[in-house]
Amino acid sequence: MASTASEIIAFLVSISGWVLVSSTLPTDYWKVSTIDGTVITTATYWANLWKTCVTDSTGVSNCKDFPSMLALDGYIQACRGLMIAAVSLGFFGSIFALFGMKCTKVGGSDKAKAKIACLAGIVFILSGLCSMTGCSLYANKITKEFFDPFYVEQKYELGAALFIGWAGASLCIIGGVIFCFSISDNNKTPRMGYAYNGATSVMSSRTKYHGGEDFKTTSPSKQFDKNAYV
């Protein structure tokens, strides 16, 4: 029972992390920078893995997609690959988890389901590591440019998508670890088997064996004299 509850918790945690990781791909604010005027913000620059944009004080945004994938910086290409890999691994991990959980009726025997659940945990851990690496690589590039005194171009700060990605990666890793430990719980509590010997007949139930000898219960015959009926 405890193993089933831990698997359900691991599934919910892992799926929540995978959803957060998936939501970072279309999120706009991977990095953001603002230009402040005397009273209001005059412009906000932001970018993600697919485009760079600027929003003026009236709320109008002008975006420009990256023209060529081959002309991109290496860290953006690496982040794209890592985040797509994280989303794909999380998808396959969720399918393995559904087959490996004890509360589902697919996946075979308990021993086979435990192995599938452990495989799902490993896949979720890999998904979390890919997301963690991609977000950390992007954040490292931003911080290096921000604190570099010789960098004269526009400097950016960390966007909301990075924190969402880190949170989702952490949840995927935690859920995957719980899935991996669930296989040890299944090995500690094996299921007891009971042999069925068939129905016992009425005649055999009347015969008991004591020390290898048959003992039959018989009632002594009763004889009545004719005077007993008077």
Side-chain angles (χ1 to χ4, degrees):
M1 189 66 180
S3 177
T4 304
S6 63
E7 287 179 351
I8 294 175
I9 294 174
F11 180 76
L12 294 177
V13 171
S14 301
I15 290 297
S16 300
W18 176 59
V19 171
L20 289 178
V21 171
S22 302
S23 65
T24 59
L25 284 177
T27 302
D28 294 330
Y29 296 99
W30 277 67
K31 60 181 181 179
V32 61
S33 178
T34 58
I35 299 177
D36 297 329
T38 56
V39 180
I40 60 175
T41 300
T42 58
T44 301
Y45 294 87
W46 50 273
N48 56 16
L49 298 177
W50 316 102
K51 59 185 177 181
T52 179
C53 301
V54 57
T55 303
D56 57 16
S57 58
T58 61
V60 178
S61 298
N62 294 319
C63 296
K64 178 182 179 182
D65 295 333
F66 294 132
S68 174
M69 185 182 69
L70 299 178
L72 288 176
D73 294 333
Y75 78 98
I76 296 181
Q77 296 183 13
C79 290
R80 280 184 178 181
L82 288 170
M83 296 305 297
I84 293 174
V87 174
S88 301
L89 289 172
F91 173 75
F92 288 109
S94 60
I95 295 177
F96 292 149
L98 289 175
F99 279 91
M101 294 174 65
K102 294 177 66 177
C103 59
T104 59
K105 296 183 179 181
V106 291
S109 62
D110 288 346
K111 188 175 182 180
K113 290 171 73 70
K115 293 181 180 180
I116 297 175
C118 184
L119 177 62
I122 295 174
V123 173
F124 274 122
I125 291 174
L126 292 177
S127 175
L129 291 177
C130 288
S131 177
M132 187 75 70
T133 304
C135 293
S136 299
L137 181 63
Y138 199 93
N140 180 63
K141 181 67 175 179
I142 296 173
T143 53
K144 285 179 63 176
E145 292 177 352
F146 187 85
F147 292 106
D148 187 4
F150 300 102
Y151 187 78
V152 296
E153 296 183 9
Q154 182 72 32
K155 293 185 178 182
Y156 291 87
E157 297 182 2
L158 303 180
L162 296 176
F163 298 98
I164 297 174
W166 282 324
S170 301
L171 291 177
C172 287
I173 293 174
I174 293 172
V177 170
I178 298 175
F179 266 124
C180 290
F181 277 108
S182 65
I183 190 173
S184 61
D185 296 337
N186 292 329
N187 293 331
K188 290 180 182 178
T189 57
R191 180 173 293 180
M192 298 297 294
Y194 298 94
Y196 179 70
N197 296 324
T200 305
S201 62
V202 177
M203 295 300 295
S204 62
S205 63
R206 293 179 179 179
T207 304
K208 299 180 180 179
Y209 297 91
H210 297 281
E213 297 180 356
D214 296 344
F215 178 77
K216 297 182 179 180
T217 58
T218 58
S219 59
S221 61
K222 296 182 180 180
Q223 297 179 357
F224 299 95
D225 190 74
K226 62 181 181 178
N227 296 326
Y229 297 98
V230 180

